[in-house]
């Protein structure tokens, strides 16, 4: 059986979802929202918040899901910090343009793999919470 992180990566790879949507839609059942609503919520986070200058959309998607699960500001912030730190350690960056090699010519991580990584770190938090 395919894991959720593989499902999320496949959503991005086939082009049906941006990075944020791929994570959000794969874990929508944890959020209390329907899949279409959470997909629409992720519209504007594509390409590093529309200009590649922002945080990787996969990380944003994991944060959206975890914030809805945590239902507590302090816990959500702590969880987001965990996701960001793990992602940075693995990939060397959290900013979209750096991950894509814009300006450096060195791609650090392709989008489907960023989606898989953010999903993996989200799952770690969900498992800690018994979800």
């Amino acid at each position: 059986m395919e894991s959720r992180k593989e499902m999320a990566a496949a959503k991005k790879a086939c082009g049906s979802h941006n990075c944020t949507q791929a994570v959000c839609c794969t874990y929508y059942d944890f959020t209390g929202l329907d899949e279409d609503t959470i997909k629409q919520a992720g519209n504007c986070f594509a390409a590093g918040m529309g200009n590649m200058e922002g945080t990787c959309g996969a990380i944003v998607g994991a944060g959206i899901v975890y914030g809805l699960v945590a239902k507590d500001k302090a816990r959500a912030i702590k969880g987001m910090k965990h996701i960001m730190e793990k992602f940075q350690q693995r990939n060397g960056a959290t900013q979209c343009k750096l991950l894509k090699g814009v300006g450096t010519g060195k791609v650090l991580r392709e989008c489907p793999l960023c989606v898989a990584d953010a999903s993996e770190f989200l799952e770690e938090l969900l498992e800690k919470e018994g979800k």
Side-chain angles (χ1 to χ4, degrees), residues 38-61:
I38 204 160
K39 185 176 185 184
Q40 298 312 316
N43 279 340
C44 63
F45 297 108
M49 298 191 184
N51 62 10
M52 298 189 89
E53 294 290 332
T55 300
C56 167
I59 299 170
V60 173

Side-chain angles (χ1 to χ4, degrees), residues 1 3-4 16-17 21 28-29 36 38 41 50 69 74-75 77 84 89 104 111-112 115 118 121 124:
M1 186 165 140
S3 73
R4 283 195 191 229
S16 63
H17 295 69
Q21 292 170 329
Y28 81 93
D29 54 319
D36 186 60
I38 204 160
V69 170
R75 196 164 81 226
I77 290 170
M84 293 284 288
Q89 287 170 358
T104 66
C111 291
V115 168
F121 306 140
E124 288 175 5

Side-chain angles (χ1 to χ4, degrees), residues 55-97:
T55 300
C56 167
I59 299 170
V60 173
I64 290 169
V65 171
Y66 190 68
L68 290 166
V69 170
K71 294 182 177 28
D72 176 83
K73 182 179 175 183
R75 196 164 81 226
I77 290 170
K78 185 177 177 184
M80 189 76 253
K81 181 179 180 192
H82 170 82
I83 292 168
M84 293 284 288
E85 287 174 350
K86 298 278 282 192
F87 195 95
Q88 175 72 35
Q89 287 170 358
R90 180 172 291 169
N91 299 304
T94 58
Q95 186 182 21
C96 182
K97 77 175 184 179

